[in-house]
Amino acid sequence: MDPQKPQAEPGHPPLEALAVQPLLNRDYESRPAVFYERLRGEYGPVAPVDVLGVPAWLVIGYSQTLDILRDARGIWSRRLDAWRAYREGAVPADWPMLPVVESGNSGFHDGADSTRLRGAWSEGLRPFQDRSRTEAKILENAVRRYADELITVLAESGGRTGWADLSAQYARPLPLMVIGRLLGEGADGDDELIIDLWRVMDAGPDAHEASDRLIARVAGVCAERVKSPGTDLPSYMLAAVPDLTADELTREMAMMTGLVGDVTGTLICNTITEVLIGETGARDSLSAGMIQEAINRASAANPPMANLAFRWAKADVRVGRFQIAAGDPVIVSPAAAHLDPAFTRTSAPDSIYSSRAHLAWGAGPHACLGRDLATTITTIAVERLFERLSALRLALPADQLPWRSSPLMRGLRSLPVTYELAADPAEQAARPAAADEAPEPEPDAAPADEPDSLVRRVLRMMRLSQS
């Protein structure tokens, strides 16, 4: 008997023979609590689902999700060759998620390979996440300036009141410009790189071509860093792991563009949304001056990655009432786990305090190493927005907000709001730097009121890409 073939447990057939629920459906997008409650009632903490034509197990119980993420018994693999259906050629060649699982970045490695690549990430990110470092202070100054410039541009239509889409005009473009800074000299002013990243994130008709161009541009940056290191993320990763190849570095930086661009942009947008809706404690936390707790609350209510990318069982294992066979694909769902009564009973939703036990950043050997960077960017973005704009209100009822359809991400397509200016934009933008902020000499940086500023160029190109 082939040990790699699924062995049916008495009581249910193997995954491939089960009736599966489609993961993407109207409730999943607009009323996820209803969808997860239905799954939990029918299946328990793990349910068989269809992911764009491929069957997989969706883990929705909090303790089961945490156990799989921690993987204390070494049962779960992130290596693509652990997927039985993929080895057997049973995965459709046009499956939309195939580029994700075939990307070959550190998210799909185990053991020593994973340790080596994650070590490069840990050391590469350190200068930007250690707030005592000059690089971190310079980056924070840049994020603050980008945020102020974006707010100035969206509010420049005149008067003290207005309407804006805080997703397209603020939350999503802000991290795109941060990516250029992380990649370093040459990429920080590369408008085409930034706009191609936007096209990929927007998943429009030209996303495939944009992705090819983006990878080529990132590969060029990485090859240049191998030859001439600088004070940027890829250079610091190379310094930490000198045998890192240009190809490996390209794969990691391509992943970074998605994580910083999409995940952080979504976290900013989701945090603003939860504050405005005011039902999960995020508003109370922000009012109490606990902005990181507001982000924490938003991460629990709507984690940017509702579901974390595939892993595969290395041996038959029981989860809930199902036998997951070796080689079966599994998705763990922080969004569903956060709605498990085992999690929700731990803190009152109207409290300004929480246990920080949410799983939005993962856990265990594949936990997100850029959590502090994403939180810092989001903190600055939310602070500047609520300092400069007052009377922020949703322009649509909360239950009519348009959510994106994605098997992984949980974010809005748009966040329409009305606002009033809290103070004169010029006065706010001219806010002096704090005493401990490092000065950032940038003779070529144009202020937002100049027609060729980076903010204006990026916003103009984003509008053109959607026209």
Side-chain angles (χ1 to χ4, degrees):
M1 183 178 294
D2 184 356
Q4 296 298 317
K5 291 290 185 182
Q7 305 302 313
E9 181 228 28
H12 78 81
L15 174 64
E16 293 83 351
L18 287 172
V20 292
Q21 299 266 359
L23 177 62
L24 298 188
N25 59 73
R26 183 170 297 179
D27 280 344
Y28 170 80
E29 293 171 13
S30 60
R31 301 191 304 166
V34 172
F35 175 63
Y36 295 132
E37 183 179 0
R38 185 167 69 243
L39 288 183
R40 208 182 312 275
E42 184 171 351
Y43 298 104
V46 61
V49 297
D50 174 274
V51 185
L52 301 174
V54 168
W57 297 104
L58 181 70
V59 180
I60 59 179
Y62 180 83
S63 63
Q64 291 81 8
T65 296
L66 184 59
D67 180 66
I68 290 172
L69 289 172
R70 287 177 172 169
D71 194 23
R73 295 175 291 169
I75 291 174
W76 305 98
S77 175
R78 295 297 301 269
R79 291 176 57 90
L80 183 57
D81 58 12
W83 189 3
R84 185 182 62 257
Y86 184 84
R87 291 197 311 270
E88 296 173 352
V91 179
D94 60 351
W95 185 51
M97 293 191 67
L98 205 54
V100 175
V101 299
E102 288 183 332
S103 59
N105 60 51
S106 56
F108 293 96
H109 285 270
D110 289 331
D113 290 339
S114 175
T115 299
R116 172 175 169 269
L117 292 170
R118 284 176 64 85
W121 272 109
S122 181
E123 291 304 310
L125 285 168
R126 191 182 305 278
F128 303 102
Q129 298 198 125
D130 180 349
R131 301 187 69 182
S132 68
R133 298 280 293 266
T134 299
E135 296 91 338
K137 293 178 181 180
I138 289 175
L139 183 64
E140 288 182 29
N141 284 346
V143 174
R144 191 171 288 108
R145 189 180 65 253
Y146 292 147
D148 277 327
E149 291 176 358
L150 285 165
I151 294 167
T152 295
V153 172
L154 72 83
E156 69 182 359
S157 57
R160 301 198 62 81
T161 62
W163 178 98
D165 178 355
L166 292 182
S167 175
Q169 294 176 272
Y170 187 67
R172 298 181 76 186
L174 176 57
L176 302 187
M177 292 179 283
V178 175
I179 288 168
R181 301 194 67 87
L182 291 172
L183 288 174
E185 185 177 356
D188 50 357
D190 189 341
D191 299 353
E192 286 296 332
L193 183 149
I194 294 172
I195 198 60
D196 273 337
L197 178 56
W198 165 264
R199 292 183 178 111
V200 171
M201 289 167 50
D202 214 39
D206 54 355
H208 181 75
E209 293 80 4
S211 177
D212 290 343
R213 289 193 302 267
L214 178 65
I215 294 298
R217 298 176 95 88
V218 171
V221 170
C222 292
E224 183 62 30
R225 298 299 178 262
V226 171
K227 291 189 297 183
S228 303
T231 55
D232 48 66
L233 176 58
S235 296
Y236 290 137
M237 291 178 68
L238 283 165
V241 181
D243 65 346
L244 203 63
T245 68
D247 185 53
E248 287 177 317
L249 191 60
T250 297
R251 287 197 292 268
E252 299 309 306
M253 291 302 98
M255 177 178 68
M256 182 275 289
T257 62
L259 292 178
V260 174
D262 208 358
V263 175
T264 305
T266 301
L267 179 61
I268 294 169
C269 196
N270 288 1
T271 301
I272 296 168
T273 303
E274 291 304 318
V275 170
L276 295 181
I277 293 175
E279 295 179 355
T280 57
R283 178 187 295 173
D284 293 336
S285 297
L286 187 65
S287 298
M290 302 169 61
I291 188 166
Q292 292 200 13
E293 181 55 29
I295 297 169
N296 197 45
R297 286 283 174 177
S299 299
N302 271 312
M305 293 195 71
N307 304 311
L308 302 180
F310 287 94
R311 58 203 72 214
W312 298 274
K314 292 192 284 188
D316 292 358
V317 58
R318 189 176 184 85
V319 181
R321 65 182 179 86
F322 289 101
Q323 178 90 343
I324 296 178
D328 275 0
V330 168
I331 299 177
V332 291
S333 176
H338 295 166
L339 292 167
D340 187 338
F343 178 80
T344 58
R345 74 168 68 102
T346 61
S347 63
D350 59 350
S351 169
I352 63 172
Y353 301 99
S354 85
S355 66
R356 300 186 66 193
H358 69 77
L359 302 175
W361 303 107
H366 287 279
C368 178
L369 292 170
R371 171 178 183 163
D372 290 345
L373 177 62
T375 300
T376 295
I377 296 169
T378 304
T379 297
I380 295 170
V382 174
E383 278 180 342
R384 296 310 298 146
L385 185 76
F386 283 95
E387 284 177 10
R388 293 201 45 195
L389 302 182
S390 65
L392 266 173
R393 294 184 179 88
L394 293 175
L396 285 176
D399 61 359
Q400 294 181 24
L401 291 172
W403 294 92
R404 294 161 59 189
S405 180
S406 167
L408 298 179
M409 301 299 298
R410 171 70 175 166
L412 289 167
R413 292 198 304 274
S414 65
L415 177 54
V417 300
T418 59
Y419 64 85
E420 295 178 10
L421 293 177
D424 181 78
E427 295 175 7
Q428 288 282 1
R431 183 190 64 85
D436 62 347
E437 289 179 353
E440 184 184 0
E442 287 196 68
D444 298 327
D449 58 355
E450 294 189 9
D452 61 344
S453 73
L454 176 62
V455 164
R456 289 187 183 279
R457 294 198 310 270
V458 169
L459 290 176
R460 183 167 59 249
M461 293 177 73
M462 287 167 63
R463 286 193 296 269
L464 288 173
S465 74
Q466 292 184 310
S467 61

